[in-house]
Amino acid sequence: MMHLPPIPAWESLHPLVIHFPIVLLLLSPLFLLIGAALSPAKGLPYRYAGLLILLLGTVSLFVAAATGEAAGELAERGGGVDAVLTAHENLASETRLLFVGLSVILLGMIALPRILHRQETRLSSTFMPLAYLVFYSVGILYLVNTAHAGGRLVHEFGVHAEMPASDGATSATATEAQEPAESRTD
Amino acid sequence: MNHAESPIGNKIKMVLVACTLILFAAGARAATTLENMQAAYNGESNAHARYLAFAGKADSEGYGQVASLFRAAARAEEIHAGNHAAVIRKMGATPAAKIEAPVVKSTRENLEAAIKGETYERDHMYPDFLSQARKDHNLAAIKSLNFAKTAEAEHAKLYSAALTQLDHLKGSQAGTYFVCPKCGFTTQELSFAKCPSCFTPKEKFEKIS
Ligand SMILES: [Fe+2]
Ligand SMILES: [Fe+2]
């Protein structure tokens, strides 16, 4: 009979949660793009969806960063790992800051017309979201670079999370590159 | 004269060899993570006392900068001992250290002894203990041992640099070092936003001179 896998420790969660911000934050601009292409009224639900996905993605970035630091404490240092780990950590902090800013801006762009009881126009429903997406692309650049540094840690340096042992104990470890890389995730 | 051994003698020999092998195998079993943590706690506690004694000697010989380095490293070892002790308690045991009277020689010899100790911890003791802790999936032990291993590597570098420049450091004033309060990472310059080992913000580092 199939069972649920054991619940991982906080230090082991990073590989599980890290995919949420990547997917959500890359998905959000697609909804904004569809919303911009439609009329102000028809595009509104897409802008709402884009905002909601962005907010969820930004929250998940915080969880990813916190679990990443916890996992990083177990990673053995020395050699090339140090520089890549530092880059990954710094990029993650910058990415988090950028998406907090992007979330505040989009929230303002969508909420302000409602608060001020102003009718949506092409300017607010199409041109401003398109201009916003140009700024958003900077966030994506940081996001993919953070993910790339994480990917290097896993696939180049063999830093990987160890999945729960048979007794239910869990751990996240960083081992030498030559060790087997079962359960590798970035 | 050459003569054949009796079958009974051979049997006795075989039994003796088998007994020796069994006893050797039992004695050579891998130490448990708890035993390793106790050994690490004992080592760090003694290193703390030893480095403070070395600092006093460096001060008396006019190596103010080296004395500061020994004090910073002593603080780091104290942090490691505290981290290890917490893990030992978490495992249901009581941390126990046997503090030996430090052997204090000249500052040059003390630096050489310190480099030897840190290098051993970095290259042998902590990697072996980490390997066992990983096999045991003991996250708390892995974290504490990893923090210490990373800091010892920095200590070895700092001690080596001090030994190389020892002649120039004669008559030097006390220097400034920074120690991470969480992991004991020791540095002369805060050239980072967060501790490279445990991500503690640099503002929280302790200043030692
Ligand atoms: Fe040490
Ligand atoms: Fe630290």
Side-chain angles (χ1 to χ4, degrees), chain A residues 69 73-74 76-77 162, chain B residues 134 137 139 146 182 194 196:
Chain A
E69 286 191 353
E73 288 179 345
L74 307 183
E76 259 182 71
R77 306 307 162 85
E162 201 177 284
Chain B
R134 289 208 159 100
H137 302 281
L139 288 186
N146 199 35
K182 184 176 171 184
K194 289 179 180 178

Side-chain angles (χ1 to χ4, degrees), chain B residues 180-185 195-200 205:
Chain B
C180 176
K182 184 176 171 184
C183 76
F185 188 87
C195 173
S197 181
C198 75
F199 311 109
T200 295
F205 271 56

Side-chain angles (χ1 to χ4, degrees), chain B residues 43-44 47 50-51 73 76-77 80 117-118 121 125-126 148 152 155:
Chain B
E44 298 291 354
R50 192 164 55 245
Y51 290 163
E77 309 301 8
H80 297 156
E118 300 288 7
E121 289 182 352
M125 189 184 95
Y126 279 124
E152 310 310 5
H155 291 169

Side-chain angles (χ1 to χ4, degrees), chain B residues 64-96:
Chain B
Q65 173 89 30
V66 182
S68 298
L69 171 57
F70 277 130
R71 275 190 288 273
R75 174 66 185 126
E77 309 301 8
E78 191 181 18
I79 290 163
H80 297 156
N83 288 345
H84 294 339
V87 176
I88 291 165
R89 283 190 204 99
K90 200 176 171 187
M91 294 175 81
T94 306

Side-chain angles (χ1 to χ4, degrees), chain A residues 9-12 68-70 72-77 85-86 89-90 93 96 162-165 167 169-176, chain B residues 126-127 130-131 133-144 146-147 149-150 154 157 182 192-200:
Chain A
W10 179 248
E11 292 89 341
S12 309
E69 286 191 353
E73 288 179 345
L74 307 183
E76 259 182 71
R77 306 307 162 85
L85 193 61
T86 303
E89 158 74 14
N90 290 341
S93 297
R96 199 171 43 179
E162 201 177 284
M163 285 299 116
D167 61 357
T170 59
S171 71
T173 65
T175 54
E176 300 306 317
Chain B
Y126 279 124
L130 271 164
S131 166
R134 289 208 159 100
K135 277 182 201 153
D136 295 347
H137 302 281
N138 189 327
L139 288 186
I142 294 169
K143 191 184 290 186
S144 190
N146 199 35
F147 282 170
K149 178 176 172 270
T150 306
E154 291 305 307
K157 277 188 214 163
K182 184 176 171 184
F192 42 75
K194 289 179 180 178
C195 173
S197 181
C198 75
F199 311 109
T200 295

Side-chain angles (χ1 to χ4, degrees), chain A residues 71-121:
Chain A
E73 288 179 345
L74 307 183
E76 259 182 71
R77 306 307 162 85
V81 173
D82 293 13
V84 182
L85 193 61
T86 303
H88 185 48
E89 158 74 14
N90 290 341
L91 279 164
S93 297
E94 287 156 3
T95 305
R96 199 171 43 179
L97 199 67
L98 267 170
F99 277 98
V100 168
L102 286 165
S103 298
V104 171
I105 293 170
L106 189 64
L107 192 64
M109 277 169 57
I110 291 176
L112 271 182
R114 257 120 231 114
I115 293 167
L116 301 173
H117 301 292
R118 298 252 303 260
Q119 195 72 28
E120 287 262 31
T121 61

Side-chain angles (χ1 to χ4, degrees), chain A residues 132-158:
Chain A
Y132 170 81
L133 286 175
V134 175
F135 288 109
Y136 197 99
S137 63
V138 178
I140 289 179
L141 198 65
Y142 272 82
L143 182 71
V144 295
N145 273 291
T146 306
H148 178 65
R152 282 190 67 196
L153 285 174
V154 175
H155 301 290
E156 198 177 324
F157 297 101

